[in-house]
Amino acid sequence: MYIFMDSGIRRAELVALTVNDVDLDLREIQVLGKGRRHRVVTIGRRAVVAVDRYLRDRVRQKWGDRPELWLADKNKGVLTHWGVREMLERRGRAVGIPNLHPSCPGGGRQAADA
């Protein structure tokens, strides 16, 4: 979640990240964007801490040897773009922002104002 917020990358770019795309020491991630062009984006300290903790826990998961960075909950394989959408909707509801989803302009703030 922190990478998504810090970097402004697209949902498809987030899902396509691999473990090797992340450099926590430099606080950078290599993103394959539109037009199959690579770019480097920086992430904040909180994101680095969260990803470092995630990677240490990830090795104990059933799918932990997969190259994809993000694993789905409950050992269901790798995270998909639908999984990201569900995660955002669930977290939005938890903090009182209904209908929060990745394609919502302004991150769903309009839905909260309605």
Side-chain angles (χ1 to χ4, degrees):
M1 193 69 147
Y2 280 115
I3 285 182
F4 204 34
M5 294 184 308
D6 278 358
S7 65
I9 63 176
R10 296 171 182 89
R11 177 173 44 163
E13 295 168 340
L14 180 75
V15 171
L17 290 175
T18 67
V19 174
N20 292 331
D21 291 333
V22 179
D23 187 328
L24 296 178
D25 294 328
L26 295 177
R27 294 180 24 207
E28 295 179 341
I29 55 175
Q30 181 82 234
V31 176
L32 181 60
K34 283 187 170 183
R36 302 198 52 79
R37 289 186 297 246
H38 288 275
R39 71 180 191 283
V40 175
V41 296
T42 58
I43 56 175
R45 293 186 215 293
R46 283 183 169 175
V48 169
V49 170
V51 172
D52 182 53
R53 186 177 8 201
Y54 168 76
L55 288 172
R56 283 186 272 121
D57 183 56
R58 182 184 187 281
V59 297
R60 295 189 297 266
Q61 302 299 319
K62 177 180 177 181
W63 300 89
D65 60 344
R66 296 285 306 220
E68 295 89 349
L69 179 60
W70 306 114
L71 302 178
D73 286 339
K74 302 175 186 141
N75 289 321
K76 292 183 180 177
V78 298
L79 187 65
T80 66
H81 69 283
W82 288 110
V84 173
R85 182 184 176 113
E86 288 176 15
M87 176 184 62
L88 288 173
E89 288 176 349
R90 185 173 58 244
R91 291 187 179 196
R93 282 191 306 271
V95 296
I97 303 173
N99 305 316
L100 177 65
H101 55 86
S103 59
C104 188
R109 287 185 289 271
Q110 289 81 5
D113 294 338

